[in-house]
Amino acid sequence: FTFTYFWVAVNRYNGADGRGLGWFCLFVAITAVPVSLQTFAVAQTTWDFWFAWCWAAWAVLWLLFFILLVGKKPIAKMVGAVTVLQGIFTGWLPGYLLLNGMIK
């Protein structure tokens, strides 16, 4: 994700409208769908299923970025809210639980 943040910064700095980044987001969303399906197909543990749902959720988020940046739809506030919620539920919360030994 660090590489993506770099390009977001470059787009902001040079005044680009973000469409190029939007097309990249579509590529990532399309890639995440089969990864999610494959992960579901082989899932055996709770973590396996969590990872599959995580991939699916991020595929949706990347698609929303594509719609926002390329489609120029007025969904910025909704995409921002989804981004924050996904950051909490797919990153921060599991990380916190792992670091505190509450899940293994």
Side-chain angles (χ1 to χ4, degrees):
F1 294 111
T2 303
F3 186 70
T4 303
Y5 294 141
F6 169 77
W7 287 113
V8 170
V10 169
N11 274 293
R12 288 291 175 189
Y13 179 75
N14 69 12
D17 65 3
R19 283 182 293 167
L21 180 60
W23 283 105
F24 171 76
C25 292
L26 178 63
F27 171 75
V28 174
I30 291 169
T31 302
V33 171
V35 173
S36 176
L37 294 173
Q38 289 171 337
T39 307
F40 272 119
V42 298
Q44 296 180 355
T45 67
T46 302
W47 270 114
D48 293 341
F49 284 103
W50 178 85
F51 281 124
W53 280 113
C54 186
W55 275 106
W58 281 92
V60 170
L61 182 60
W62 285 104
L63 181 62
L64 289 174
F65 286 138
F66 169 75
I67 293 167
L68 175 68
L69 294 169
V70 175
K72 302 291 184 191
K73 302 297 181 190
I75 59 172
K77 287 183 181 182
M78 188 259 308
V79 172
V82 171
T83 302
V84 169
L85 290 172
Q86 287 209 19
I88 291 168
F89 289 109
T90 66
W92 178 81
L93 183 60
Y96 178 81
L97 295 173
L98 277 168
L99 287 173
N100 286 289
M102 301 167 98
I103 54 176
K104 297 181 183 200

